[in-house]
Amino acid sequence: PYYVDINQNLFLEAYLHSSDPNLVLFLDTCVASPTPHNVTTVTYDIIRNGCVRDSTYSTYYSPYKHIVRFKFNAFQFVHSSPLVYLQCELAVCRAYDYSSRCYQGCITRSKREASS
């Protein structure tokens, strides 16, 4: 666990350990939850489907394509324990495969029409 104050910058780095130099790492989704095992019911989206949802989120330059660096401000869920659990989903792709998830960026899904 990391102990931080509310609104303190929280810096994270994801690193892909691989001997293949032609792999790219992409941060697709990061959600926070007040519980460690349920990240679907009560969650706060930091980034979802490559789209930034938290105004304090920003990426940092990495000289390596197998390292992703980012930050956001620490927060606490209202009326909850002071703990916040973070779960992130990353994609690993072949470098320069522009049809892969890593090169698609933010994906917004169009809403479907409700049937009568």
Side-chain angles (χ1 to χ4, degrees):
Y2 292 96
Y3 299 95
V4 295
D5 294 324
I6 300 296
N7 290 325
Q8 180 180 345
N9 284 333
L10 186 59
F11 297 92
L12 294 107
E13 177 178 273
Y15 183 93
L16 174 65
H17 294 274
S18 173
S19 59
D20 187 343
N22 294 314
L23 295 179
V24 175
L25 194 57
F26 175 74
L27 179 62
D28 182 73
T29 297
C30 251
V31 297
S33 172
T35 60
H37 305 294
N38 185 357
V39 291
T40 56
T41 307
V42 178
T43 61
Y44 175 76
D45 290 352
I46 296 165
I47 184 168
R48 166 106 35 206
N49 297 321
C51 305
V52 175
R53 303 287 189 213
D54 182 299
S55 63
T56 67
Y57 172 90
S58 62
T59 58
Y60 283 89
Y61 170 76
S62 170
Y64 307 102
K65 49 190 181 257
H66 63 278
I67 296 176
V68 173
R69 295 175 177 157
F70 62 99
K71 73 103 181 155
F72 62 92
N73 287 2
F75 63 92
Q76 177 179 341
F77 285 93
V78 177
H79 306 298
S80 182
S81 76
L83 301 176
V84 174
Y85 296 88
L86 187 65
Q87 179 175 316
C88 298
E89 297 176 12
L90 294 103
V92 177
C93 309
R94 287 258 165 233
Y96 312 111
D97 177 1
Y98 298 109
S99 65
S100 71
R101 176 67 191 102
C102 297
Y103 291 93
Q104 293 172 355
C106 173
I107 297 177
T108 55
R109 296 199 165 99
S110 58
K111 295 182 180 180
R112 292 184 288 183
E113 219 177 279
S115 60
S116 56

